[in-house]
Amino acid sequence: EATEEEEAAAEKAAVAMENAAPLPGSLRPDVIVELMSPEAEPMAARNLLFAVAPYLHGMFSRRLAGREMGDMDEIRPDHPWYQIASDAALRVGLDRFEILVDRSLGHRSVVIPGNTPALVLGEKLMEMAQPRTFGFLVGRAWAQAVTGSAFLEWADLHELELVLAGIVSQFDREFGQDLASRSDLAERGKAFMKQVPRRVRKSIEEPALVYAQAGAVGMATWQEAARTTAVRVGLCACGDLRGAAEVLRAEKADDDVLTGLLLYNIGSRLVRAREACGAVVAR
C-alpha cells in the first residue's frame, strides 16, 4: 500500500496535471522511450521500427491506398484546429501532415502512415472535439506517425513481422528462417532496401542486429504496448486527463486502458516527462 507521503505526492501531481497547459517544448524520442513506453513494449523491435519507418510506406502502399474509407474532407490551415495539430507536430519533429474528416468513422480516428502522415477523424468525434481533446488526438496520432507504430495498426501484423525479418536478413542471413524461406525474406529485404537512400542503410544495421539477438516478438503484445505509449504521449501533449478520457470513452476503449491512463496520470513519470519537455509543473 502507498504511504501517506506517496499519496500526497500523487495527489499533488494529479492537481498539477489538472491545471497543466499544453507543452511549450518538444517531445524528444528519448523522453518517449524513457518516460512513456510501458515495459511490455519490446525495445529492440521498437528501435528497429523507428529506424525503418520513414521508408516502410512503400512496402504497404497498396494496402494503404486500398483501405476503405468514406467521404473525406480536408481540414485546411486556416481551420482553428489546424494550429493545434501543427504545434503538436512540431513537438514530435513532424514537419508535414494532413488532417481529414471521414463521415463513416463516427467517434473513431485512424492514422495513415507515410511520407505525409494523415490523421483521419470521424465526423462525430470532430463534432465533440474541444481544444485539449483535440490536442490529445493529435498528440497520440503524431506519436504513432514518428515512432512508426502506426504501421502496427495498418499492416497485417504477420506481414509486418515478415518485412522486419526480411530487413534483418540483409544483415544476418540466418535470421527469420522459422518465419519464411531464406529467398522469401531476401526478396522482402531487397525490396525494402530499394526504398532507402544509400547513406542511410548503414544506420539500420545496428538496430537490425539487436533485433535479431533479442528473440521472438509477440506482435499483438507489441501492438497493445505501442498503443499505450501513444495514449501517454497524447496525455502529455494536451495536459488534460478529462479530455483524454473523453476521447477514449467515445472510442469505447476497455476499462483497462482508462485505468492505465489514470494510474499513469498520477505517477511521477508523467510529471518528469512534462518537465523534460519544458512544462512548469508545481510540486
Side-chain angles (χ1 to χ4, degrees), residues 58 122 129 145 185 210 214 219 221 256 275:
L185 293 176
V210 172
M219 298 297 289
T221 300
D256 289 347
E275 288 179 330

Side-chain angles (χ1 to χ4, degrees), residues 81 102 105-110 119-130 133-134 137 140 246-248 250-251:
W81 294 142
D102 185 336
L105 275 179
H107 287 99
R108 296 185 298 119
S109 66
V110 296
L119 170 60
V120 186
L121 301 165
E123 189 172 43
K124 291 183 179 179
L125 186 62
M126 190 66 182
E127 289 172 355
M128 63 168 271
Q130 299 295 323
T133 303
F134 191 71
L137 282 167
R140 180 180 63 175
E246 186 178 345
V247 171
L248 294 173
E251 294 175 343

Side-chain angles (χ1 to χ4, degrees), residues 162-209:
L162 290 176
V163 169
L164 293 177
I167 294 169
V168 174
S169 73
Q170 296 296 292
F171 306 99
D172 180 352
R173 293 186 62 194
E174 301 303 316
F175 180 78
Q177 294 184 45
D178 57 327
L179 296 173
S181 67
R182 179 178 291 178
S183 61
D184 190 15
L185 293 176
E187 182 179 351
R188 283 181 167 84
K190 290 176 181 177
F192 171 78
M193 287 301 178
K194 290 180 180 178
Q195 318 278 335
V196 182
R198 289 187 178 276
R199 67 181 184 278
V200 176
R201 294 178 186 179
K202 186 66 177 176
S203 66
I204 296 174
E205 181 175 4
E206 182 179 351
L209 293 176

Side-chain angles (χ1 to χ4, degrees), residues 32 49-50 53 92 94 109-114 117-119 136-154 223-224 226-231 233-234 251:
I32 293 176
L49 185 57
F50 181 78
V92 297
L94 194 63
S109 66
V110 296
V111 181
I112 304 176
L119 170 60
F136 169 78
L137 282 167
V138 294
R140 180 180 63 175
W142 300 155
Q144 291 175 316
V146 299
T147 62
S149 67
F151 284 102
L152 289 164
E153 303 296 335
W154 276 90
Q223 181 188 60
E224 287 300 319
R227 287 172 179 170
T228 297
T229 299
V231 164
V233 173
E251 294 175 343

